[in-house]
Amino acid sequence: MDVYENLKAHGIELPEGLSAAGLYKPVNQTGNLLFVSGQGSIDRGEALTGRVGVDVTVEQAQHAAKVCAVNTLAALHNYLGDLNRVKRCVKILGFVAGADDFTGQALVINGASQTFIDAFGEEGRHARSAIGTNSLPLGLTVEVESIFEIE
């Protein structure tokens, strides 16, 4: 399985990757685990903003979650030089900005989960939490942080 072939087959092109917006590392390694800092819903320079159930539909938010996952893959590629070094996706934590009564966070974060499965096959399936919040940095709709195991 070649991750880049999988991405191509699913029409996914990696962006350059987001720069750190604060005093942190985009990727931090301990042993064979990579902790990827929260990647926001910024699509090639365009911030995808708004709260689900207020300004954004679930479908738009799912796309925003996919963008977060693609940004994660770009951060991993920049750190590792080769996504084929990834053994598996261990866990993701997704944050969704939504209306006070919005309860579909899991549906939104499926957009990120599916992207990791598209990239890594069954090794992209992971443990996961999906959390609702009233706002995210820059007014973003979704942010996803993750943990990956490498060989």
Side-chain angles (χ1 to χ4, degrees):
M1 170 192 81
D2 181 270
V3 176
Y4 298 98
E5 289 299 318
N6 290 347
L7 294 175
K8 185 177 178 182
H10 288 93
I12 299 171
E13 293 182 30
L14 296 181
E16 288 184 26
L18 301 176
S19 299
L23 301 175
Y24 61 88
K25 294 178 177 182
V27 178
N28 200 15
Q29 181 173 353
T30 183
N32 63 343
L33 294 178
L34 299 179
F35 293 78
V36 182
S37 295
Q39 299 293 304
S41 53
I42 300 175
D43 192 1
R44 300 177 197 282
E46 179 188 348
L48 305 180
T49 62
R51 295 172 61 202
V52 187
V54 178
D55 333 271
V56 177
T57 66
V58 169
E59 293 77 18
Q60 290 169 316
Q62 286 172 327
H63 173 73
K66 177 181 178 175
V67 166
C68 294
V70 171
N71 288 336
T72 298
L73 295 172
L76 288 167
H77 172 79
N78 291 341
Y79 182 81
L80 293 170
D82 183 0
L83 288 173
N84 289 303
R85 290 187 55 201
V86 173
K87 184 173 179 182
R88 66 186 175 123
C89 182
V90 177
K91 180 165 194 297
I92 71 171
L93 171 57
F95 298 93
V96 180
D100 292 345
D101 62 348
F102 180 70
T103 60
Q105 292 84 3
L107 290 173
V108 170
I109 299 303
N110 280 345
S113 294
Q114 187 61 58
T115 302
F116 294 133
I117 293 167
D118 291 346
F120 301 109
E122 279 304 304
E123 296 304 322
R125 200 172 294 276
H126 46 267
R128 181 180 92 177
S129 299
I131 306 298
T133 184
N134 64 332
S135 67
L136 288 168
L138 307 175
L140 298 176
T141 303
V142 180
E143 182 175 334
V144 174
E145 69 174 46
S146 50
I147 303 169
F148 288 83
E149 181 182 7
I150 60 172
E151 305 211 36

